[in-house]
Amino acid sequence: MSGETREAGLSTPALEQAEAGADAPETTGTADAGSDGDGGAPPAGTEDGNRRISSDRPVLIAAVGFLVLCLGVVLFGMVRGGDEGKAEPEIPTAPVTYEVTGEGTADLSYQGASEQGTAETVSGARLPWKKTVEVPLGRNPVISITLGEQGGQARCAVAVRGRHVQSATASGEFGRATCSAPLPAPAPEASN
């Protein structure tokens, strides 16, 4: 009797009966619940003809895991691909440099890359201060400075595409100054 036969759960008399089953004449009548018409031997892969051996469980778990992984990749691709197809057209911008010179600190407010026209603010910025941002065409870049209680003097400047456009000076207690520059509207797209 081999080790494989023992693992399958066949006893010695059942094994002998299964081997002799090919030579034995067929029996008539109803078959046992565990037999398949081959002389009463339990079907291959079962124990005592009643329970199925769970050797297929790891394969089933691996198959389900693989299907879940594939589904995740497909859904990710659909979501990611859907966003790209519906992307709004890119609005052309121009580089704008804001610069504030002076000593001490100042509160600043400037037009950034926001399409809605909202301003970026910096409270208590240490001077000198400089920042370059991309501003959408059609929006006017503007920077406002407000000095504090200590006063002093500060100067703002705006440059568009590296070219100086405007400057202004704020002085004294709570002094204010604003610098702006026009940006042309984007050219209309040609329709085909």
Side-chain angles (χ1 to χ4, degrees):
M1 174 167 29
S2 70
E4 293 176 8
T5 305
R6 283 187 191 169
E7 289 177 14
L10 297 177
S11 63
T12 305
L15 177 62
E16 291 170 1
Q17 187 178 13
E19 290 173 354
D23 298 332
E26 282 195 32
T27 59
T28 59
T30 58
D32 291 338
S35 72
D36 60 351
D38 65 353
T46 63
E47 292 180 2
D48 301 331
N50 294 327
R51 288 190 348 201
R52 179 101 179 129
I53 296 177
S54 63
S55 64
D56 293 343
R57 181 173 281 167
V59 174
L60 181 63
I61 291 172
V64 169
F66 179 74
L67 289 175
V68 168
L69 178 67
C70 289
L71 180 63
V73 168
V74 168
L75 289 175
F76 177 77
M78 287 173 47
V79 169
R80 180 137 177 126
D83 290 345
E84 291 175 346
K86 295 179 183 178
E88 294 181 17
E90 189 174 314
I91 296 176
T93 61
V96 174
T97 302
Y98 300 112
E99 185 172 11
V100 180
T101 56
E103 293 182 7
T105 62
D107 293 336
L108 311 175
S109 177
Y110 63 93
Q111 170 69 44
S114 169
E115 295 174 31
Q116 293 79 22
T118 57
E120 301 284 331
T121 58
V122 180
S123 297
R126 275 245 175 259
L127 302 183
W129 178 91
K130 184 176 184 178
K131 181 151 186 151
T132 300
V133 296
E134 293 290 324
V135 176
L137 294 181
R139 296 280 178 196
N140 291 333
V142 61
I143 184 167
S144 298
I145 57 174
T146 304
L147 299 175
E149 213 175 292
Q150 286 82 17
Q153 188 170 354
R155 180 181 169 147
C156 65
V158 176
V160 176
R161 295 184 178 115
R163 205 173 96 223
H164 175 77
V165 178
Q166 186 183 26
S167 63
T169 303
S171 60
E173 186 177 333
F174 299 108
R176 295 175 181 250
T178 301
C179 296
S180 64
L183 278 182
E189 293 183 26
S191 60
N192 293 350

